[in-house]
Amino acid sequence: MNLQVIYDNQIYGNQISGVLKFRTRSRNEEHVYMRMIDLLAVDTKKIYQAAKLLHDAFEAWPTMDSALDEVHESFGDERISRVMVNEQDEVIGWIGGISTYNGNVWELHPLVVQAKLRNQGLGRRMVEDFEEQVRQRGGITITLGTDDEFDLTSLAQQDLYLDISGYIKNFQTQEHPAGFYMRIGYTIVGVVPDANGLGKPDILMAKRV
């Protein structure tokens, strides 16, 4: 998928309203437009669609109620909540952020893309938009945690306490999200051993923006 990116960011007082537009060219040379927009607390339809993506993608939100709670928690002065919508104004991706360290650091949480549209570059574009939102707010660093619950990295099923720095230095993965984040400039800055059970760590990553 060939994506052309157009930024149209406008600042209204203290409220930053950014629209990131994507133009994709299909095989028959038709163009499809997608946009990144703020998710608003009053837009119940998009809130439900974002929660549905979260519920369908992650076991951490086993019910729609839990997913809806997560989306509702994403609103506030020290939060970022952005969705990618298609030409039909349907939510096909959601990304959120939480301000920490007096706004110097933002935690990226969560990121989800509609299952049938994954591996087409949309996640990368969503993260790029998130990074722009953080920069506009004066942020310096983005952090995130990505769990290895299914033994998809070289950190799984290891006693990381024996040589944490060595395990991080020799990190390998093919299918875990950490690989995606590394390809777009994020660095492993630590691990939480056994965060999800014995041998199932949480991988901590960061990037300066």
Side-chain angles (χ1 to χ4, degrees), residues 150-171:
F150 304 107
D151 302 345
L152 297 177
T153 77
S154 57
L155 301 179
Q157 303 305 324
Q158 304 292 335
D159 186 354
L160 300 178
Y161 289 106
L162 295 177
D163 185 10
I164 288 181
S165 61
Y167 280 112
I168 292 175
K169 180 179 180 180
N170 297 305
F171 177 83

Side-chain angles (χ1 to χ4, degrees), residues 134-150:
V134 169
R135 278 191 290 266
Q136 290 183 15
R137 290 164 170 82
I140 301 171
T141 291
I142 295 173
T143 64
L144 62 93
T146 178
D147 296 303
D148 186 2
E149 301 179 73
F150 304 107

Side-chain angles (χ1 to χ4, degrees), residues 58-99:
F58 297 106
E59 294 181 359
W61 293 276
T63 67
M64 275 299 295
D65 283 344
S66 63
L68 284 166
D69 287 343
E70 183 72 27
V71 177
H72 283 294
E73 289 176 4
S74 72
F75 303 121
D77 293 337
E78 297 186 347
R79 301 292 292 258
I80 293 173
S81 190
R82 302 272 287 173
V83 289
M84 177 180 282
V85 296
N86 59 18
E87 288 184 300
Q88 291 73 44
D89 204 36
E90 299 167 335
V91 173
I92 58 174
W94 176 47
I95 190 168
I98 305 167
S99 176

Side-chain angles (χ1 to χ4, degrees), residues 107-109 143-148 176-177 181 202-206:
E107 179 188 358
L108 191 165
H109 172 81
T143 64
L144 62 93
T146 178
D147 296 303
D148 186 2
H176 191 271
Y181 287 111
D202 188 8
I203 303 166
L204 309 179
M205 309 186 74

